[in-house]
């Protein structure tokens, strides 16, 4: 099995373990992997594994969003906070759950908005968003790992330094992307995005606690497709 961030450091005479991430992202982010904060992430994850703690998603899936959606294929960015913290849910794509797992309430509300906005009938029993990722929807969590049953437990691990760099790279290195920022946390990242180059869509979080405060009827999915079509990028098929 390929080494991951969880694995122990190799002996000094051994080659350094590389981050297993899609080639275009590895090139764009190469300077980040050698920084002190990234070493802290490695150390923190290894320490928790050594202590017997359960961390989600599993090692090979930490960079799943990057591996499913190469840098040059990104068309839409949806920003989440951190992974689901229950067994079998998280697999490296924000808001998405693995096959056979019941979609959580926030994802169900996303599906409801898609139906209202576009008329597409969504399968609310399937919460795996990999078909979106394959079309260029970059499903990024700002924090890429979480401890079992402990939401936001890795918020101070250093991941936000990394994902802020990811957002900046997309903002500066690409044009005419759609950024969907839902909730105060995601909206706090707006300063990283050049509004003169991209479409920024903001709304409340799709959580049952806030969806009625601006997420429902935001029409982000049709607005994204209108913008993409106007810039010659083709529409996203939101149906799963």
């Amino acid at each position: 099995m390929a080494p991951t961030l969880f694995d122990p450091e190799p002996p000094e005479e051994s080659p350094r373990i590389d981050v297993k991430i899609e080639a275009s992202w590895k090139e764009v982010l190469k300077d980040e992997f050698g920084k002190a904060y990234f070493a802290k992430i490695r150390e923190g994850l290894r320490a928790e594994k050594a202590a017997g703690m359960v961390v989600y998603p599993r090692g090979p899936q930490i960079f799943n969003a990057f591996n499913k959606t190469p840098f040059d294929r990104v068309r839409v960015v949806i920003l989440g906070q951190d992974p689901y913290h229950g067994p079998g849910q998280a697999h490296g794509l924000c808001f998405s759950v693995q096959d056979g797992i019941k979609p959580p309430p926030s994802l169900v509300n996303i599906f409801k908005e898609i139906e209202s906005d576009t008329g597409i009938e969504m399968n609310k029993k399937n919460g795996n968003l990999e078909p979106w990722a394959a079309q260029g929807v970059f499903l990024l969590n700002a924090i890429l790992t979480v401890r079992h049953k402990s939401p936001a437990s890795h918020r101070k691990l250093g991941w936000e330094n990394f994902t802020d760099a990811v957002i900046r790279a997309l903002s500066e290195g690409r044009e005419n992307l759609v950024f969907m920022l839902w909730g105060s946390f995601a909206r706090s990242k707006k300063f990283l995005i050049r509004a003169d180059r991209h479409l920024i869509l903001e709304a409340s979080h799709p959580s049952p606690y806030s969806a009625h405060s601006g997420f429902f009827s935001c029409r982000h999915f049709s607005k994204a497709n209108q913008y993409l079509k106007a810039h010659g990028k083709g529409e996203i098929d939101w149906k799963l």
Side-chain angles (χ1 to χ4, degrees):
M1 181 180 293
T4 73
L5 290 182
F6 289 107
D7 294 314
E9 288 282 12
E12 290 185 6
E13 67 271 18
S14 300
R16 179 170 177 260
I17 294 178
D18 286 329
V19 172
K20 299 301 176 182
I21 192 171
E22 190 273 333
S24 65
W25 281 110
K26 190 168 189 177
E27 176 61 25
V28 169
L29 301 170
K30 60 185 177 182
D31 292 340
E32 301 302 313
F33 301 126
K35 293 183 177 179
Y37 80 80
F38 206 85
K40 179 184 174 183
I41 294 172
R42 290 177 182 269
E43 292 165 5
L45 292 176
R46 288 172 179 144
E48 292 200 5
K49 183 179 181 182
M53 297 179 184
V54 176
V55 172
Y56 304 123
R58 62 189 185 89
Q61 293 181 324
I62 291 174
F63 296 106
N64 210 19
F66 302 84
N67 296 332
K68 297 290 184 183
T69 313
F71 180 79
D72 291 333
R73 293 184 58 191
V74 174
R75 292 192 283 163
V76 176
V77 180
I78 298 179
L79 184 62
Q81 185 165 354
D82 65 342
Y84 296 119
H85 50 83
Q89 292 179 306
H91 62 136
L93 306 177
C94 76
F95 293 105
S96 180
V97 290
Q98 300 186 65
D99 290 332
I101 300 296
K102 181 181 178 181
S106 291
L107 184 53
V108 171
N109 283 341
I110 291 171
F111 291 165
K112 288 179 179 178
E113 176 58 21
I114 291 173
E115 289 183 337
S116 173
D117 181 18
T118 68
I120 294 172
E121 184 175 351
M122 302 297 291
N123 178 4
K124 297 184 182 64
K125 294 182 179 179
N126 173 29
N128 189 329
L129 305 182
E130 288 183 0
W132 293 2
Q135 296 179 73
V137 181
F138 186 48
L139 298 163
L140 177 67
N141 275 314
I143 303 160
L144 297 185
T145 57
V146 69
R147 195 179 309 126
H148 173 70
K149 294 298 183 182
S150 299
S153 50
H154 287 174
R155 187 164 189 177
K156 296 183 179 180
L157 198 61
W159 280 125
E160 287 186 72
N161 294 315
F162 179 72
T163 54
D164 281 359
V166 170
I167 296 169
R168 286 193 189 96
L170 286 167
S171 178
E172 295 296 335
R174 298 291 311 281
E175 292 183 350
N176 304 133
L177 302 183
V178 179
F179 288 82
M180 296 185 182
L181 308 181
W182 301 332
S184 59
F185 179 85
R187 295 170 80 173
S188 73
K189 304 294 183 178
K190 182 178 178 179
F191 77 98
L192 299 168
I193 306 163
R194 288 185 55 175
D196 61 329
R197 295 171 67 110
H198 308 284
L199 175 64
I200 303 172
L201 300 174
E202 301 179 66
S204 63
H205 195 276
S207 161
Y209 299 104
S210 57
H212 289 280
S213 299
F215 179 76
F216 288 140
S217 300
C218 70
R219 304 200 66 193
H220 282 186
F221 303 95
S222 63
K223 289 176 181 177
N225 275 344
Q226 290 166 7
Y227 180 85
L228 292 172
K229 185 177 180 180
H231 290 86
K233 291 181 174 289
E235 299 180 349
I236 302 294
D237 181 0
W238 297 109
K239 187 173 183 178
L240 295 174

